[in-house]
Amino acid sequence: MERKIRVLVAKPGLDGHDRGAKVIARSLRDAGMEVIYTGLRQTPEQIVSASVQEDVDVIAMSILSGAHNHLFPRVMELLKDKGVDDVLVVGGGVIPDEDIPGLKAAGIAAVFTPGSATTDIIEFIKNNLKRRE
Amino acid sequence: MSDTENIKKGLEAYDAGVTKALAKFSERKKEFSTGSKSPVKRLYTPLDDAGRDYAKDIGFPGAYPYTRGVQNTMYRGRFWTMRQYAGFSTAEESNKRYKFLLSQGTTGLSVAFDLPTQIGYDSDHALSQGEVGKVGVAIDSLADMEILFDGIPLDKVSTSMTINAPASVLLAMYIAVAEKQGVGPDKLEGTIQNDILKEYVARGTYIFPPEPSMRLITDIFAYCSKSVPNWNTISISGYHIREAGSTAAQEVAFTIADGIAYVDAAVKAGLDVDDFAPRLSFFFNAHNDLFEEVAKFRAARRVWATVMKERFGAKNPKSLSLRFHTQTAGSTLTAQQPDNNIVRVAIQTLAAVLGGTQSLHTNSKDEALALPTEASVRIALRTQQIVAYESGATETIDPLAGSYYVESMTDRIQKEAEAYIATIDGMGGAVKAIERGYVQQEIQDAAYTCQMDIESGEKIVVGVNKFQIEEGPPKGLLRVDPIVGEQQSAKLKKLRAGRDNGRVDSALAALKAGAKGDDNLMPLILEAVRAYATLGEICDVLRAEFGEYQQKVIL
């Protein structure tokens, strides 16, 4: 049997807005993925260690507080430090368009902003996994 | 033939006509429903009013059960307080924004704090990195608070502060700034949000577990009833519950269930209900479905009045009347075609006003993208002013009363809310229901349904899943300079070097001793604040004594 796609949905930083993260988590689960949701206030260190421990294929992070430019790249750095290069990392939240190129350069594969459909996110994940095949 | 029989006959004839028409043209949808997915009938008539007793169930403005409003003249006396939630970056920057807002005709201030402040960390704490000054102003000590209100006489404005877990500390700072201005605490008017229960379920800025959190809240009730008598000691909030995805009826239900828990805690601590209940206030969301929202506000007043009278035996009319602040629904704002948000906010404003709000914040069009600019805040404020001065909605009280539709929806929301409250009572109250994740699960289910309805096209969001256009990236968004974090850290270093550290240490030691016992903590916190102890230092003392809340993660 094919292994299910494993996703860590994470809320980095102090932001408490988790409606989006939870809706995404549930829709990924309904799409047949195995989802681990971290809960609020995760440090980049906690997110990276959870991703290694849970052996996930994907990390999906959500920030609505504006701290994305600090926290998203920090997660990428820590992954690199651990030698992890086969995990797909995506982000979402209230993120100005002009910040997206910088986040992508840091290694965030895609950034989903308000109004994104869960179906698009599911498609993106399925089509861009790094570990499959 | 009686009136009712005539109406019944008329309705039968109407229905027959409808059946014929439907045979030729079907309606737009098979089933019609409100924004919260409650069924809506084709037509409401006096038959829907059957069994309602006007004097008992609806009554008059300023009188039990307050369905029609809490004051007897409402907006004919004066308009609601136009209160724009604002704050970002440093105290200096936010002070400028407040002065701008006051110059544009806002009638009350509303302070947004950044996340480190809301969670009780100083700006130089490791967890504050990247968050300082982002979603609100960074306040580390009384020194920042002095700058925040510089040149703003605190006996002349009313100030609302969105602060929960460390509400006592920020209230103490406000009292201390007033002291320095020569304004006594009895002259202060304003509100602290101070509603921890909704933080656990919907907003996330909790620090301590429920029990010590309830104690801090009760201490504030007791302290203010004697020393800061015109202060609203809590703003029991449905706003964030709704933003997290709840329905209108759930918003009323969970908010009032939280309210019941606070009153219970205070009564158990030995306070007389009529000593503190007049200063309890509420905070609701104004969403898109105009009529359902108006019905929601009316139902909320009636449910609260009934609870306070029948459950708690409150006698003071002020204890029975639900006064509330409203904010338009942030979650309805779209990043796509942001100018459309101005129209959404106008409809939501009308809902709040027709629902009899006591104060209102209108969101700005660019808030799905960033913090609002001055220009977009001005439009948001002008929207309130246009409804106040031009729409005519303010000239009579509760103008939608008697609408067959609105009255029957008011009854429906009351009934649904009371059923939820009964379920929560059965679990042992709001604290227990939250601890077992019941409230969170209900909200999440509603949020998920809403998102799926948008994706299936059952729910239309203009510009998002219909009427889309190609558009370039938005221009002119407000950016908070990342240097703010360093500036605050530098300020803190200077503060810690320059203050009387002996006085700080003894104030913090006294607070620690107080936290172990059961003295009212407000005077001890006030003394620590006056000594320029930082917010983080004060909260660390309480963390050590009270422990920290561990979120129940539910999917």
Side-chain angles (χ1 to χ4, degrees), chain B residues 59-79:
Chain B
F60 291 86
Y64 190 82
Y66 301 95
T67 314
R68 304 202 61 180
V70 293
Q71 294 124 355
N72 34 32
T73 59
M74 289 301 292
Y75 306 135
R76 291 167 64 104
R78 69 171 192 83
F79 292 132

Side-chain angles (χ1 to χ4, degrees), chain B residues 323-358:
Chain B
R323 296 172 299 125
F324 66 101
H325 172 68
T326 306
Q327 179 168 339
T328 59
S331 60
T332 65
L333 301 179
T334 62
Q336 296 74 17
Q337 304 175 46
D339 286 347
N340 296 344
N341 292 327
I342 297 172
V343 183
R344 295 189 176 97
V345 169
I347 294 168
Q348 295 162 2
T349 299
L350 193 57
V353 169
L354 292 173
T357 195
Q358 276 58 64

Side-chain angles (χ1 to χ4, degrees), chain A residues 12-19 22-23 25-27 29-30 35 37-41 43 64-67 69-71 94-99 114-119, chain B residues 115-116 119 127 129-131 134-135 202-206 242-245 331 335-336 368-370 441 444-445 447-448 450-452 455 464 473-474 479 551 553-555:
Chain A
L14 301 179
D15 171 32
H17 295 86
D18 57 0
R19 175 177 180 170
K22 285 174 168 174
V23 166
R26 204 151 148 182
S27 65
R29 196 175 62 189
D30 285 358
V35 178
Y37 171 54
T38 61
L40 300 178
R41 292 194 210 168
T43 61
L64 282 81
S65 72
N69 283 339
H70 177 79
L71 294 166
V94 177
I95 295 170
D97 284 359
E98 63 199 70
D99 292 354
S116 302
T118 58
T119 45
Chain B
L115 286 166
I119 303 174
L127 292 174
Q129 278 182 38
E131 307 272 16
K134 284 280 167 35
V135 304
R203 193 169 173 276
T205 69
Y206 43 75
R242 189 69 177 280
E243 287 292 290
S331 60
Q336 296 74 17
L369 303 160
Q441 190 70 59
Q444 279 165 226
D445 288 349
Y448 192 64
C450 172
Q451 178 66 24
M452 292 304 112
E455 296 194 9
V464 174
R479 311 278 310 187
Q551 186 196 20
V553 176
I554 292 158
L555 263 194

Side-chain angles (χ1 to χ4, degrees), chain B residues 18 72 87 104 148-149 312 328 489 501 543:
Chain B
V18 168
N72 34 32
Q104 294 297 306
L148 189 66
F149 292 103
F312 293 109
T328 59
S489 297
N501 280 306
R543 277 190 188 95

Side-chain angles (χ1 to χ4, degrees), chain B residues 215-536:
Chain B
R215 172 199 173 175
L216 283 166
I217 292 166
T218 308
D219 282 357
I220 292 172
F221 288 178
Y223 181 83
C224 289
S225 72
K226 296 205 170 59
S227 304
V228 204
N230 299 317
W231 196 266
N232 296 315
T233 50
I234 193 167
S235 174
I236 307 163
S237 304
Y239 182 82
H240 318 89
I241 290 171
R242 189 69 177 280
E243 287 292 290
S246 85
T247 65
Q250 288 171 341
E251 181 188 353
V252 172
F254 300 150
T255 308
I256 288 181
D258 288 351
I260 291 170
Y262 295 124
V263 176
D264 260 335
V267 169
K268 279 206 186 93
L271 305 186
D272 183 281
V273 67
D274 283 319
D275 280 348
F276 67 87
R279 299 314 308 178
L280 306 179
S281 63
F282 287 80
F283 174 21
F284 289 112
N285 196 297
H287 221 271
N288 281 335
D289 188 319
L290 177 68
F291 297 108
E292 184 173 47
E293 292 303 288
V294 175
K296 175 189 79 181
F297 298 125
R298 301 174 84 245
R301 276 192 294 267
R302 195 154 70 196
V303 175
W304 183 246
T306 313
V307 161
M308 290 307 285
K309 188 176 176 192
E310 291 176 5
R311 190 184 289 229
F312 293 109
K315 301 219 167 41
N316 184 341
K318 290 205 161 88
S319 304
L320 307 174
S321 55
L322 178 147
R323 296 172 299 125
F324 66 101
H325 172 68
T326 306
Q327 179 168 339
T328 59
S331 60
T332 65
L333 301 179
T334 62
Q336 296 74 17
Q337 304 175 46
D339 286 347
N340 296 344
N341 292 327
I342 297 172
V343 183
R344 295 189 176 97
V345 169
I347 294 168
Q348 295 162 2
T349 299
L350 193 57
V353 169
L354 292 173
T357 195
Q358 276 58 64
S359 68
L360 178 62
H361 165 101
T362 36
N363 291 326
S364 300
K365 63 174 185 165
D366 44 2
E367 291 188 62
L369 303 160
L371 289 184
T373 62
E374 248 179 37
S376 65
V377 169
R378 185 187 288 117
I379 297 174
L381 175 60
R382 293 291 180 258
T383 305
Q384 296 198 37
Q385 291 161 338
I386 289 167
V387 170
Y389 292 94
E390 299 183 17
S391 75
T394 53
E395 307 302 278
T396 189
I397 299 167
D398 188 25
L400 290 180
S403 149
Y404 309 123
Y405 181 37
V406 171
E407 290 297 358
S408 82
M409 201 151 34
T410 304
D411 292 351
R412 189 263 297 166
I413 292 176
Q414 174 174 15
K415 222 166 118 190
E416 283 181 34
E418 285 173 344
Y420 267 119
I421 293 168
T423 304
I424 291 169
D425 281 343
M427 294 176 183
V431 176
K432 291 276 182 297
I434 291 165
E435 280 172 351
R436 64 194 262 186
Y438 169 74
V439 177
Q440 296 90 313
Q441 190 70 59
E442 286 292 308
I443 297 170
Q444 279 165 226
D445 288 349
Y448 192 64
T449 305
C450 172
Q451 178 66 24
M452 292 304 112
D453 286 349
I454 292 169
E455 296 194 9
S456 70
E458 194 181 322
K459 206 183 193 108
I460 299 299
V461 183
V462 171
V464 174
N465 61 359
K466 203 168 180 149
F467 312 113
Q468 301 97 320
I469 54 170
E470 284 297 321
E471 48 188 336
K475 293 195 178 65
L477 298 179
L478 184 124
R479 311 278 310 187
V480 175
D481 195 333
I483 197 88
V484 174
E486 289 163 42
Q487 286 172 349
Q488 282 301 114
S489 297
K491 271 201 226 170
L492 272 167
K493 214 170 159 190
K494 212 174 130 200
L495 177 93
R496 291 196 184 106
R499 66 187 180 182
D500 176 351
N501 280 306
R503 186 178 168 198
V504 172
D505 291 345
S506 61
L508 292 176
L511 177 61
K512 191 178 174 67
K516 281 186 202 293
D518 52 12
D519 286 350
N520 192 313
L521 296 179
M522 265 310 288
L524 300 168
I525 291 171
L526 189 54
E527 181 45 31
V529 160
R530 286 190 189 115
Y532 293 89
T534 67
L535 173 70

Side-chain angles (χ1 to χ4, degrees), chain B residues 44-57:
Chain B
Y44 291 79
T45 69
L47 299 178
D48 295 290
D49 288 348
R52 196 182 304 113
D53 177 338
Y54 180 87
K56 191 173 133 276
D57 300 325

